[in-house]
Amino acid sequence: MSASGQLGKRTRTRIKYTGEPFQYAKQSLQQRRNLPLLPDSNGDQAFLEARVLAELGRGSEWSAHPLGIAGVMIAPSSLVVLLDGYFVTSSARLYPISEYTAACLLPWYEDGVEVHGIGRLRVKGIKGCDLRLGLAGNDASVVLRSKDEASWVATIRHRRADLESDGHVPLWDKKGVSKHEKVDEGTYPLVDQGWRDLAWLGSFLLRRIALLHTTSNAYSTRSWNNGIDWIFEIDFYPSVHPNHDEFIKALKDDT
């Protein structure tokens, strides 16, 4: 097979896992020939990716793609998560995924209780449809890319107003690690360690998230971990073959 034919085959294989646009995947493979087809992350970057996957996967609403994620774009020092536009609730209400992600991910403190969302998560910047998130104290980065109709500025402003009106403390714009987050981490050290122990797996799954719609017939998917295992609950119609074997085979591939 010619070099161009090999590149095309590798590009299509990568897209099956990531859901990336063809040209982006092709250019990534051309520019970083010495890297694996699907580069994995580690350390704080893997931890952030795993937490994003887990928090987005807690809901059970329907969306165009399982977990509301159409795919990811793997960059050298970051990850771009391509979000659907809406969830559809059980009452048939359209719920913007930008609002859902802000409510699930951005950290806030409930007085006398605990920190909700992802501790140490910070909003690093907003540019058009992109919300760049990071962790206080390191260079980990995940970009959430919304549909055109979503405005992160308005979404986060409304989220802040709702929290403050209830007497809560938004933490996503604090410099460094807040006192509330330090107390929370000290109170639940085993929980934080459990997340870090499974970070490699959560990151691995997020970077292959498109498999849930390229090799699976799932119409609703939830994800979480219990400190020991990472769990996916996949719903599909009984009359439709779930392609479970193909999904597991792709996950276990050394790609």
Side-chain angles (χ1 to χ4, degrees):
M1 182 181 294
S2 67
S4 60
Q6 286 282 6
L7 178 60
K9 180 179 179 180
R10 283 170 54 81
T11 300
R12 288 188 291 274
T13 299
R14 174 157 158 157
I15 291 171
K16 182 177 77 171
Y17 286 86
T18 65
E20 292 170 319
F22 182 89
Q23 198 60 31
Y24 179 87
K26 181 180 178 181
Q27 289 179 353
S28 295
L29 293 173
Q30 286 177 316
Q31 294 169 0
R32 293 180 283 277
R33 297 177 184 272
N34 59 326
L35 293 179
L37 185 68
L38 294 171
D40 288 322
S41 61
N42 52 56
D44 292 316
Q45 181 65 34
F47 175 77
L48 176 56
E49 292 175 13
R51 288 304 309 271
V52 167
L53 173 66
E55 298 306 321
L56 290 181
R58 291 189 186 280
S60 58
E61 290 84 1
W62 297 326
S63 55
H65 299 90
L67 305 182
I69 303 175
V72 296
M73 295 168 63
I74 301 175
S77 59
S78 183
L79 188 74
V80 178
V81 180
L82 308 174
L83 298 174
D84 287 332
Y86 296 92
F87 279 122
V88 181
T89 67
S90 57
S91 61
R93 183 174 75 90
L94 295 181
Y95 183 22
I97 287 184
S98 57
E99 293 183 19
Y100 173 83
T101 55
C104 288
L105 272 58
L106 299 183
W108 56 278
Y109 175 65
E110 183 178 4
D111 188 31
V113 184
E114 62 183 4
V115 172
H116 301 271
I118 301 176
R120 301 192 180 213
L121 188 72
R122 299 293 183 264
V123 173
K124 298 294 187 177
I126 298 173
K127 185 176 180 180
C129 297
D130 288 354
L131 173 67
R132 181 174 293 277
L133 301 173
L135 292 171
N138 61 65
D139 296 327
S141 176
V142 167
V143 173
L144 302 182
R145 180 162 295 169
S146 69
K147 297 292 187 179
D148 292 341
E149 61 266 24
S151 168
W152 288 115
V153 174
T155 294
I156 293 175
R157 183 174 63 245
H158 293 155
R159 179 63 178 158
R160 174 182 295 280
D162 288 343
L163 290 172
E164 292 180 339
S165 67
D166 291 333
H168 304 312
V169 182
L171 301 174
W172 58 80
D173 59 353
K174 301 296 184 184
K175 292 184 178 180
V177 183
S178 71
K179 62 181 181 180
H180 305 303
E181 290 164 318
K182 290 179 181 178
V183 170
D184 203 63
E185 292 169 0
T187 304
Y188 306 105
L190 294 180
V191 173
D192 184 71
Q193 188 58 50
W195 282 114
R196 293 194 176 276
D197 289 344
L198 286 175
W200 69 271
L201 182 54
S203 172
F204 175 95
L205 292 170
L206 180 56
R207 287 172 173 243
R208 293 158 176 78
I209 196 68
L211 289 176
L212 287 171
H213 63 84
T214 59
T215 67
S216 165
N217 291 320
Y219 66 82
S220 178
T221 305
R222 287 167 292 281
S223 164
W224 67 93
N225 84 58
N226 59 12
I228 300 174
D229 305 298
W230 202 288
I231 301 154
F232 268 93
E233 182 178 314
I234 298 174
D235 296 331
F236 58 90
Y237 290 105
S239 60
V240 178
H241 180 65
N243 286 338
H244 183 70
D245 291 344
E246 182 182 352
F247 176 62
I248 296 302
K249 180 181 178 181
L251 276 180
K252 293 171 65 177
D253 195 299
D254 291 335
T255 297

